[in-house]
Amino acid sequence: MSKQFDVVVIGGGPGGYIAAIRAAQLGFNTACIDEWKNDKGGPAPGGTCTNVGCIPSKALLQSSEHFDHANHHFAEHGISTGTVKMDVAKMVARKDTVVKQNNDGILYLFKKNKVSFFHGRGSFVAAKDGLYEVKVAGAAEEVLTAKHVIIATGSNARQLPGAAFDEENILSNDGALRIGAVPKKLGVIGSGVIGLEMGSVWRRLGSEVTVLEGLPTFLGAVDEGVAKEAFKCFTKQGLKIELGVKISDVKSTKKGVTVSYANAKGEAQELAVDKLIVSIGRVPNTIGLNTEAVGLQLDERGAIVVNADCQTNLPNVWAVGDVVRGPMLAHKAEEEGVAVAERIAGQHGHVNFNTIPWVIYTSPEIAWVGRTEQQLKADGVAYKAGQFPFLANGRARALGDTTGFVKFLADAKTDEILGVHIIGPMASELISEAVVAMEFKASAEDIARICHAHPSLSEATKEAALAVDKRTLNF
Ligand code: FAD
Ligand code: NAI
């Protein structure tokens, strides 16, 4: 006997679990299937984000930042500590506790919202009479039936050809978050978000970190001014970043890993490291979903094909998050999950792709929303730019962190904000104001006229908005 539901969600990451909660809130009898196992074999919902992504990486970034502050910044505040030691095992155990708190939190939310949770792999069996049969292969096998299915099966790390992840020497994000001792030398392939965040963690803890990037430009998707400042900061901190490389071979032995590559000049080089993190992007995951049973359409990258409303080629089958087009971000997955549940309920769920913020949690943090200066130029948009440095912000001086700036880009005629780019302290929090402003189609002048608390980092945002009209007050 199959169990009947209105909505079955496959995948319990940020896309899936949020979709399930919203569907249940809207009155649907909802199930969520997730196969992630904790180290005891029990359920660990939350997906990549909770288990091997956003949450554990930020836990390690925080620990390593404390260590870095104690080593390099306490003295300027008059605090002397003697030699500071890092217990890596304890740091990793703390990270695991933070992950478990989040897993447990999601199980609690399922109960609270009356979402039926199934631990195991979900796969399509068949479509019959307007209903879908989905099998759960877990401790026991069960079949669920529902009119609506939301697929939120996420993504996996992309492997470099000839360098399979062994999670001992050649590490994906998973192994990179479980390194047990500070490697003397750490190699990173790919200077994207994971490479920079994880490279920063281990650099702060004392590793000699070399990042090898295939493209000739650094952080190509980031505003050029910000990317330039970031490159300067990271290299000053000690990250070695080589751009324009071509990897030819990766050899893993008991001792470590040797990467052979040609540098930007085409010269043959070799890099010997104790561990190698490969962070060259992620691929959509539909493994084991048995899409063939129902004829679900995938594109050439393996992503589920969806329209702007997250509808697949099958009636009442939806897909959200990393498994579909668009940026691979937890908050994008969540927004799509909510919107789909609302569309199933006949409401007008909406995701504004133009106002999805990006954050890179390095130090300094990098955050942006909207278009970059190079995109505006390419699109032929007439714009005005305004920039304000944290060096001229009182709170940043008091914090002892004056790196970076806030940059506004506004339409030359209407003054509407087209993009905001921040590099500096708490950029991850500051960007929210810009997102709200852009959602409400605010002009730079709107922000410039709003009272911001003093002393606060957000005054740099106000000043950058004033700078659009060339009338900063404190610079
Ligand atoms: P996932 O989180 O991947 O969840 C998919 C879930 O589905 C998994 O639990 C999986 O086990 C399950 N599943 C798959 N197939 C099946 C099946 N057939 N049956 C049952 N269950 C199945 N994004 C941010 O916004 N901010 C960050 O700071 C950030 N940091 C990151 C750091 C790292 C190291 C990594 C790797 C990613 C990071 N991301 C971050 C990206 C973020 O993790 C993803 O965008 C997000 O998790 C996507 O959510 P999702 O629900 O689509 O998929
Ligand atoms: P990424 O797309 O951010 O960066 C990959 C980098 O690897 C690019 O610079 C690319 O040019 C380079 N590259 C690709 N192939 C290469 C090769 N063969 N040799 C050398 N360099 C090569 O991907 P990453 O860092 O793996 O992260 C995956 C995704 O996870 C991100 O795009 C993001 O969506 C998400 N994420 C988000 C975070 C956040 O929001 N703070 C943190 C970490 C990940």
Side-chain angles (χ1 to χ4, degrees), residues 207-345:
S207 288
E208 194 182 302
V209 181
T210 306
V211 184
L212 300 177
E213 165 61 43
L215 290 177
T217 38
F218 180 63
L219 287 178
V222 174
D223 186 85
E224 268 169 12
V226 171
K228 213 168 138 196
E229 178 77 5
F231 190 82
K232 209 170 70 188
C233 293
F234 298 151
T235 46
K236 198 170 154 205
Q237 289 164 359
L239 271 190
K240 285 189 202 154
I241 306 170
E242 277 204 56
L243 302 175
V245 310
K246 200 165 182 328
I247 313 286
S248 49
D249 190 38
V250 176
K251 267 203 184 66
S252 177
T253 64
K254 270 192 186 150
K255 280 192 183 155
V257 188
T258 307
V259 184
S260 306
Y261 64 98
N263 66 15
K265 291 182 194 146
E267 298 159 343
Q269 305 285 321
E270 230 176 52
L271 174 73
V273 290
D274 302 298
K275 307 254 180 216
L276 179 72
I277 297 174
V278 178
S279 47
I280 56 169
R282 297 180 63 80
V283 285
N285 169 39
T286 52
I287 299 167
L289 204 53
N290 199 21
T291 54
E292 308 80 22
V294 286
L296 183 70
Q297 194 189 347
L298 308 182
D299 70 12
E300 61 292 346
R301 290 169 48 243
I304 296 175
V305 176
V306 288
N307 65 12
D309 286 347
C310 292
Q311 286 171 311
T312 69
N313 65 314
L314 303 173
N316 301 329
V317 176
W318 312 73
V320 300
D322 281 12
V323 78
V324 304
R325 79 302 168 253
M328 289 186 170
L329 294 173
H331 41 285
K332 175 262 192 186
E334 290 182 14
E335 293 302 309
E336 286 184 333
V338 168
V340 163
E342 292 179 350
R343 285 172 197 138
I344 291 173

Side-chain angles (χ1 to χ4, degrees), residues 57-130:
S57 60
K58 267 79 251 179
L60 295 188
L61 278 156
Q62 191 61 56
S63 300
S64 60
E65 193 161 3
H66 283 321
F67 183 71
D68 193 63
H69 275 255
N71 271 323
H72 301 295
H73 302 292
F74 275 13
E76 73 207 42
H77 293 270
I79 306 168
S80 50
T81 53
T83 309
V84 178
K85 283 193 206 137
M86 171 52 91
D87 181 341
V88 173
K90 202 161 179 185
M91 173 184 81
V92 172
R94 173 187 175 273
K95 178 261 301 178
D96 292 340
T97 305
V98 174
V99 167
K100 186 163 185 312
Q101 285 165 346
N102 282 271
N103 296 140
D104 293 348
I106 296 167
L107 289 170
Y108 161 78
L109 290 171
F110 281 157
K111 270 209 187 103
K112 182 182 162 201
N113 289 283
K114 300 191 174 52
V115 172
S116 302
F117 176 67
F118 293 86
H119 189 213
R121 172 167 288 186
S123 59
F124 284 102
V125 179
K128 260 193 236 155
D129 307 327

Side-chain angles (χ1 to χ4, degrees), residues 258-456:
T258 307
V259 184
S260 306
Y261 64 98
N263 66 15
K265 291 182 194 146
E267 298 159 343
Q269 305 285 321
E270 230 176 52
L271 174 73
V273 290
D274 302 298
K275 307 254 180 216
L276 179 72
I277 297 174
V278 178
S279 47
I280 56 169
R282 297 180 63 80
V283 285
N285 169 39
T286 52
I287 299 167
L289 204 53
N290 199 21
T291 54
E292 308 80 22
V294 286
L296 183 70
Q297 194 189 347
L298 308 182
D299 70 12
E300 61 292 346
R301 290 169 48 243
I304 296 175
V305 176
V306 288
N307 65 12
D309 286 347
C310 292
Q311 286 171 311
T312 69
N313 65 314
L314 303 173
N316 301 329
V317 176
W318 312 73
V320 300
D322 281 12
V323 78
V324 304
R325 79 302 168 253
M328 289 186 170
L329 294 173
H331 41 285
K332 175 262 192 186
E334 290 182 14
E335 293 302 309
E336 286 184 333
V338 168
V340 163
E342 292 179 350
R343 285 172 197 138
I344 291 173
Q347 299 182 2
H348 296 280
H350 178 65
V351 181
N352 184 354
F353 277 84
N354 297 323
T355 54
I356 294 176
W358 275 86
V359 179
I360 307 179
Y361 293 82
T362 43
S363 178
E365 290 185 344
I366 298 168
W368 73 97
V369 57
R371 282 186 280 178
T372 61
E373 199 161 350
Q374 62 268 28
Q375 277 171 336
L376 292 175
K377 279 182 188 151
D379 295 347
V381 177
Y383 66 91
K384 299 176 285 182
Q387 192 166 311
F388 187 82
F390 284 107
L391 199 63
N393 174 272
R395 183 75 194 280
R397 285 196 205 116
L399 286 172
D401 191 354
T402 52
T403 320
F405 53 80
V406 180
K407 173 173 172 177
F408 264 63
L409 299 169
D411 188 282
K413 264 204 198 118
T414 65
D415 197 37
E416 182 181 340
I417 303 167
L418 302 175
V420 176
H421 305 271
I422 308 176
I423 175 166
M426 302 309 280
S428 55
E429 300 296 331
L430 294 174
I431 199 66
S432 303
E433 181 179 5
V435 176
V436 173
M438 284 184 67
E439 268 296 336
F440 284 91
K441 295 205 172 296
S443 63
E445 189 185 349
D446 287 330
I447 298 299
R449 285 187 180 277
I450 290 171
C451 180
H452 289 65
H454 176 77
S456 72

Side-chain angles (χ1 to χ4, degrees), residues 10-16 33-36 46-49 52-54 57-58 120-122 152-155 173 177 194 197 282 285 287-289 320-323 328-331 333 361:
I10 308 177
I33 309 168
D34 188 80
E35 66 176 342
W36 207 293
T48 301
C49 169
V52 291
C54 324
S57 60
K58 267 79 251 179
R121 172 167 288 186
T153 45
S155 63
N173 54 297
L177 290 158
I194 295 179
E197 290 188 357
R282 297 180 63 80
N285 169 39
I287 299 167
L289 204 53
V320 300
D322 281 12
V323 78
M328 289 186 170
L329 294 173
H331 41 285
Y361 293 82

